[in-house]
Each structure stands twice: as C-alpha cells, then as structure tokens.
C-alpha cells in the first residue's frame, strides 16, 4: 500500500455540504426543546463533518484500503487460522428469516433458527466426539473460562472444594492461564521436553489431589501433536482432575482425531477460526464448548432442545452455571459456521485438515533451509521457526515481520510461543494456493539475503505502509479512538 495523502473526514469538511437526501416529513413537526423536557435533547449541535457523498465514500474506501485482511493477501498468522471466509456464508446470514428475528420472539415463530442451532450442536458433537454442546460463549477465551467454571461446579458438587490448581503447559496460548486465573484457580506450569511436547514426567510431578484440571492444546502451539495424550489423560484422571482441550486449532485434525476420543472432558472451538467466521477486526467471535456426559448438567442455560420435531430452550437445569452471554450467543456466526459445515460435508472437512497440514509442512521444509527450525518432526497445521540465525546478523524477528509488510504479506505471529527464541509462528491454512506459498518462501529467502547484504533495508521497514513502526505498548494502553484536531 502506497503512502497516501489521506485527509480524514473532518479535514474534508466544508460548511453546508451534505450527503443525505431525506424524504419530506410525513408526521407533524415538533419543536424538540419545547416538547421534550427530560433533559436528553442536546442544546448545542454536535460538531459533525459536512461532506458530500463522494467525499464520504472516499473517506470510507480510504480507511478500508489502510486495513489488511485475508482478502488483501497472504495472512499466515499462527494460531489465528486466517482462512478464507466463503461468500455463501454471508448470503445465508442475510436471509431475512434469520436476520430479521428478535431474541424475545416466541419460539414457535423461530423454529428454523432453533433447528439450525440444534443441528449445529449435533454436527459439533460429531466433530469433537463430545456428549453435549453449548453454543453460548462469545470467544475461545470465554469458552475456556466457561469450561473451567463447569469443572469447578462439578468438583464442588462432589464436595471437592480444595481443587484450586489448573495445570497449563509452558507452550500454551496466553488465554489459558488468564482463563484459569479469572475462574479463580492457581496456574501450575508443566514443562515441554526437547521435542516440543508436554514432558510426561514433569506432569506426573505436578499433579496431585489439588489438581482441578489440565488445559491442553493438541496439536499444541508449536503445531505438534501430543502423541502421549492418552497417558496424560490417565495421569490427570488418576488424581481426580479433569481434562480441558483448547480446540481453537481444530483445523489440523477434523475427521482424523477427536478430543472426546482422546479422553477430554471439555473442549472449546473457535467458530471464527476453523469454521470461517470472519475475524481480525471483522468479528464478533463464537467459542462453543463441548462436554462429557458427567459435565453436561453444569452447561450454561438455556440449551436448545428438540422434542417430536419441535424446538425450544431448556431453562430447567438446576446445576447450570448460569447464562454466560446475553441471549443465545452470537447467532450470526452460528449461521456462517453451519453453512460452512454443510457446504463442506464430512469428507470436505477431512480434506480441509489434510490440506492445512500439507501446506504447513510444505512451507516448513522449504523455510528450514535458511531459518532455524527448533522442532524438526512433521508439523500439523502450523510450525514455529526461530529467527536466531538472522539475529546474529543484527536483524531480529520483529524486523523480518515489518519487512514482510512491504511485500504485501501479513507477518506471522511473532515472539510466541515463549519457549522459542525469536519465534515466528506460521500457519498458512488450507485455502492458500501453491503459488502463494512459493511466493512466501521466496520473499522469506529474499529477506534473509537482505539481512546479510543490506540489513538497513530490513531494519527500516516497512517502507510502503501508511504507518511505520508503532509504539505498540502505547497503542494498546492509550488508544486514540476519535478524531483529534491538530492545532
Ligand atoms: C485464538 C486462540 C485462543 C483464544 O480464542 P479467542 O476467540 O481469541 O478468545 C485460545 N487458544 C488458542 C490456541 C488460540 O489460537
């Protein structure tokens, strides 16, 4: 994207210009100040920009051009599964029978919507191998927290009040320890071994009768499948703990392995990752959970149920942890995920995982020639490189990430997981073509060459973006969310 002369809408403003054209008033005019005395009518007009329609359209088109999404180019943001979101999903989500309904409507008038939710639950039960699904949580992280709250309620229902420890691997996604903390648990770390997998001996050391649960991502954040998962399940169950599966990255295993079959008691899914809900500025998300029969009584309420072909909500769940999201969750994302699952079918979802794994291994085997690959076994949907060789030449992973922007490629996830020095976590997804992957390989090799021959061009990147290097801490802590006039 070229640096541009891009005036904001306030700077385009000229007094008296308008871009609206209202029809004639067909109700009696009122003097607001006289008629409404409750103090809610503003006394001074808002200072709004005055622009014509063309300037208005240029403003918004300009803003969207400054953004980078999956439709702009390659987006290998590890763990985030930035795959293509099919347009047919949007078609279905806009059908008036779905988009014009209201949560307070009588259930007899929204049978189709309830049937879709019920059917989606059934499909997700099949995909995960779990006993029952709740669609409610609004994100993966909320699904984690909801599952932990249910596990807590389960232990307490057995009079087991002292289990206050949740075990989390050192490679875990940051939301795992965060969810454990918010659910009132202490986080106990379990180490990874030199293959990047959970160290089973260390797991044996940290479990005890205070263990409420183990939270595990499989394949883990290094993109590696935890081969000793059944042994780990036995160890945790052996001390009375439960197993929670972080299923944000189900993209690698659909149709091949299921958390339920691996012995997990609870799992969350990210409909906005694996199941093509738009995300990364295009949200909202959706993080349904699946649970075992033992945990099902604690599910958030209401749950959608079916009886003799009639659908409704079941609120009669005395042990439920309650409602975790207003109304019934992010319904629009259910529609997109449901459309995706139905258009792909069972075989199609299997192909998705096959191609996701193939694409990741193709990139990994080509990139390991110039970049350090700390864990060398085949990966699943993603893999983690280290920029340690380039660091010796004075170019760090953050510089490589910025240089990718000049090549119209979104940087991978960087400096995560924490156990890899100068980490670059790369997830191509199944929706990218071989040409796109080959281009990424050649760009990465080119940047490696630049690091050797002309490091300044990497160190000063990005050269073509609207903004250069941001103070990321300040941007997060002190975001500027509205126009501020420069004097
Ligand atoms: C994305 C992700 C999460 C969190 O999901 P959100 O919807 O962003 O809250 C949790 N774990 C892993 C492994 C993830 O990739």
């Amino acid at each position: 994207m070229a640096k541009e002369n891009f005036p904001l809408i306030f700077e385009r403003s000229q007094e008296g210009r308008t871009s609206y054209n209202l029809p004639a008033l067909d109700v009696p005019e009122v003097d607001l100040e006289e008629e409404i005395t409750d103090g809610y009518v503003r006394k001074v007009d808002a200072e709004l920009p005055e622009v014509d329609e063309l300037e208005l359209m240029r403003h918004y088109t300009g803003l969207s051009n400054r953004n980078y999404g999956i439709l702009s180019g390659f987006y290998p943001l590890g763990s985030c599964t930035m795959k293509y979101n099919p347009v047919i999903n949007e078609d279905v989500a806009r059908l008036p029978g779905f988009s014009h309904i209201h949560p307070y409507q009588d259930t007899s008038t929204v049978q189709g919507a309830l049937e879709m939710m019920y059917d989606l639950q059934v499909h997700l039960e099949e995909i995960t191998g779990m006993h029952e699904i709740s669609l409610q949580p609004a994100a993966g992280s909320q699904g984690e927290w909801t599952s932990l709250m249910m596990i807590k309620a389960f232990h307490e229902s057995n009079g087991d009040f002292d289990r206050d420890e949740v075990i989390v691997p050192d490679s875990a996604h940051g939301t795992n320890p965060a969810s454990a903390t918010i659910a009132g648990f202490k986080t106990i770390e379990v180490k990874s071994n030199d293959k990047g997998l959970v160290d089973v001996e260390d797991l044996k050391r940290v479990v005890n009768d205070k263990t409420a649960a183990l939270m595990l991502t499989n394949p883990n954040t290094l993109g590696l499948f935890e081969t000793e998962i059944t042994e780990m399940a036995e160890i945790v169950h052996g001390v009375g703990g439960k197993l929670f599966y972080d299923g944000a990255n189900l993209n690698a295993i659909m149709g091949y392995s299921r958390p339920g079959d691996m012995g997990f008691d609870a799992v969350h899914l990210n409909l906005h990752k694996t199941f093509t809900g738009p995300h990364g500025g295009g949200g909202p998300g959706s993080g349904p959970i699946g649970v075992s029969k033992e945990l099902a009584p604690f599910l958030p309420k209401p749950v959608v149920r079916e009886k003799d072909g009639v659908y409704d909500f079941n609120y009669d769940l005395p042990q439920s942890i309650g409602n975790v999201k207003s109304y019934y969750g992010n319904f629009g994302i259910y529609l997109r995920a449901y459309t995706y699952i139905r258009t792909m079918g069972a075989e199609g979802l299997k192909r998705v995982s096959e191609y996701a794994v193939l694409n990741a291994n193709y990139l990994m085997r080509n990139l390991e020639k110039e970049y350090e690959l700390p864990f060398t076994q085949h990966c699943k949907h993603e893999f983690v490189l280290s920029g340690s060789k380039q660091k010796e030449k004075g170019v760090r992973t953050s510089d490589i990430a910025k240089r990718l922007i000049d090549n119209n490629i979104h940087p991978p996830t960087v400096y995560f997981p924490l156990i890899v020095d100068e980490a670059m976590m790369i997830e191509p997804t199944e929706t990218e073509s071989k040409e796109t992957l080959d281009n990424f390989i050649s760009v990465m090799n080119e940047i490696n060459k630049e690091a050797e021959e002309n490091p300044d061009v990497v160190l000063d990147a990005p050269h073509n973006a609207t903004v250069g290097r941001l103070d990321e801490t300040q941007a997060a802590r002190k975001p500027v969310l509205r126009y501020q006039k420069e004097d």
Side-chain angles (χ1 to χ4, degrees):
M1 187 194 335
K3 277 209 178 83
E4 58 202 304
N5 174 12
F6 182 68
L8 289 161
I9 196 162
F10 282 91
E11 290 150 359
R12 294 170 193 263
S13 181
Q14 292 296 331
E15 209 180 321
R17 301 245 167 100
T18 57
S19 39
Y20 62 83
N21 189 2
L22 295 178
L25 204 60
D26 60 358
V27 289
E29 192 165 355
V30 291
D31 181 342
L32 285 177
E33 285 202 36
E34 246 170 48
E35 297 281 327
I36 304 176
T37 52
D38 61 7
Y40 288 115
V41 178
R42 61 184 308 150
K43 298 280 183 283
V44 184
D45 282 344
E47 270 184 61
L48 297 176
E50 298 175 73
V51 289
D52 57 37
E53 190 169 320
L54 176 57
E55 286 301 308
L56 181 71
M57 295 307 286
R58 280 184 179 153
H59 170 74
Y60 284 112
T61 305
L63 280 184
S64 80
N65 284 341
R66 286 175 152 201
N67 209 346
Y68 188 97
I70 184 69
L71 300 182
S72 318
F74 190 40
Y75 206 140
L77 191 67
S79 206
C80 294
T81 314
M82 304 304 292
K83 58 161 87 171
Y84 174 59
N85 308 144
V87 172
I88 189 176
N89 294 355
E90 300 302 319
D91 259 7
V92 173
R94 281 163 179 72
L95 290 174
F98 289 130
S99 61
H100 292 181
I101 56 178
H102 192 279
Y104 283 145
Q105 246 172 277
D106 191 279
T107 53
S108 67
T109 65
V110 285
Q111 285 293 298
L114 291 180
E115 182 177 357
M116 185 280 295
M117 287 171 73
Y118 185 82
D119 222 25
L120 177 59
Q121 290 176 183
V122 172
H123 286 303
L124 296 179
E125 278 164 28
E126 181 62 30
I127 291 168
T128 58
M130 302 307 289
H131 176 73
E132 203 170 333
I133 299 281
S134 166
L135 300 173
Q136 248 181 54
S141 41
Q142 203 194 8
E144 294 169 26
W145 173 83
T146 305
S147 303
L148 290 176
M149 293 304 284
M150 291 173 63
I151 289 172
K152 187 181 224 174
F154 167 82
H155 288 312
E156 290 180 0
S157 76
N158 292 329
D160 212 348
F161 292 96
D162 294 333
R163 291 185 185 269
D164 62 352
E165 295 184 354
V166 166
I167 300 170
V168 179
D170 57 6
S171 63
H173 195 271
T175 51
N176 290 187
S179 301
T181 303
I182 293 175
F185 294 105
K186 283 187 212 127
T187 301
I188 309 292
E189 191 175 276
V190 58
K191 297 213 168 356
S192 304
N193 61 24
D194 57 5
K195 288 203 176 90
L197 304 175
V198 171
D199 183 336
V200 176
E201 289 311 309
D202 198 44
L203 179 64
K204 285 183 189 157
R205 193 180 59 78
V206 295
V207 294
N208 57 46
D209 59 5
K210 294 182 78 73
T211 303
L214 167 70
M215 300 181 88
L216 202 78
T217 314
N218 194 18
N220 65 28
T221 57
L222 296 163
L224 305 175
F225 194 83
E226 297 282 355
T227 46
E228 291 173 288
I229 185 61
T230 44
E231 191 186 346
M232 289 191 253
E234 277 167 26
I235 293 168
V236 175
H237 284 151
V239 298
K242 293 282 167 209
L243 275 97
F244 167 78
Y245 186 105
D246 178 334
N249 296 330
L250 214 70
N251 218 37
I253 61 161
M254 286 186 293
Y256 282 92
S257 67
R258 309 193 302 172
D261 301 335
M262 296 178 214
F264 282 86
D265 304 281
V267 52
H268 84 79
L269 305 174
N270 277 25
L271 298 189
H272 50 288
K273 291 180 182 171
T274 316
F275 299 98
T276 65
H279 68 304
S286 179
I289 53 168
V291 297
S292 63
K293 197 169 179 181
E294 221 176 14
L295 290 183
F298 306 95
L299 279 170
K301 63 183 173 185
V303 296
V304 186
R305 67 177 167 195
E306 183 262 352
K307 198 162 179 268
D308 304 328
V310 179
Y311 300 88
D312 70 359
F313 290 114
N314 183 13
Y315 287 89
D316 184 23
L317 297 160
Q319 289 183 290
S320 165
I321 61 162
N323 189 303
V324 299
K325 173 78 177 74
S326 52
Y327 302 110
Y328 319 114
N330 286 328
F331 181 77
I333 303 301
Y334 306 162
L335 281 167
R336 289 168 175 85
Y338 184 67
T339 307
Y340 178 67
I341 291 170
R342 293 300 299 267
T343 47
M344 298 307 289
E347 280 306 310
L349 291 179
K350 261 179 110 160
R351 289 293 99 73
V352 164
S353 289
E354 287 166 8
Y355 281 103
V357 172
L358 180 64
N359 282 359
N361 279 282
Y362 180 73
L363 281 188
M364 183 176 85
R365 292 303 171 211
N366 277 285
L367 290 172
E368 72 175 328
K369 293 167 194 161
E370 305 292 353
Y371 291 84
E372 170 76 17
L373 177 68
F375 304 105
T376 54
Q377 66 265 48
H378 292 321
C379 65
K380 289 287 175 286
H381 62 298
E382 67 190 2
F383 59 98
V384 178
L385 294 177
S386 165
S388 55
K389 284 196 221 165
Q390 287 70 26
K391 188 175 164 185
E392 283 167 21
K393 300 170 198 156
V395 164
R396 301 196 51 187
T397 281
S398 54
D399 304 315
I400 297 168
K402 297 295 181 194
R403 188 64 178 141
L404 282 169
I405 295 173
D406 285 336
N407 290 279
N408 194 38
I409 293 173
H410 194 286
T413 298
V414 293
Y415 299 104
F416 178 78
L418 304 174
I419 55 175
V420 172
D421 181 39
E422 296 290 318
M424 282 178 264
M425 184 194 222
I426 298 170
E427 179 180 14
T429 84
E430 76 285 0
T431 57
E432 297 297 341
S433 67
K434 182 167 178 295
E435 294 71 34
T436 300
L437 303 182
D438 286 337
N439 178 57
F440 180 63
I441 294 162
S442 68
V443 167
M444 286 292 282
N445 288 339
E446 190 58 35
I447 294 174
N448 175 58
K449 225 162 103 195
E450 288 172 348
E452 254 164 46
E453 296 168 2
N454 183 14
D456 283 348
V457 73
V458 186
L459 295 172
D460 294 340
H463 301 271
N464 302 325
T466 316
V467 290
R469 300 212 177 191
L470 301 170
D471 181 334
E472 286 166 21
T473 313
Q474 289 298 315
R477 298 265 158 80
K478 290 189 181 163
V480 179
L481 298 176
R482 63 182 179 81
Y483 179 72
Q484 289 172 353
K485 205 169 176 177
E486 279 176 39
D487 295 317

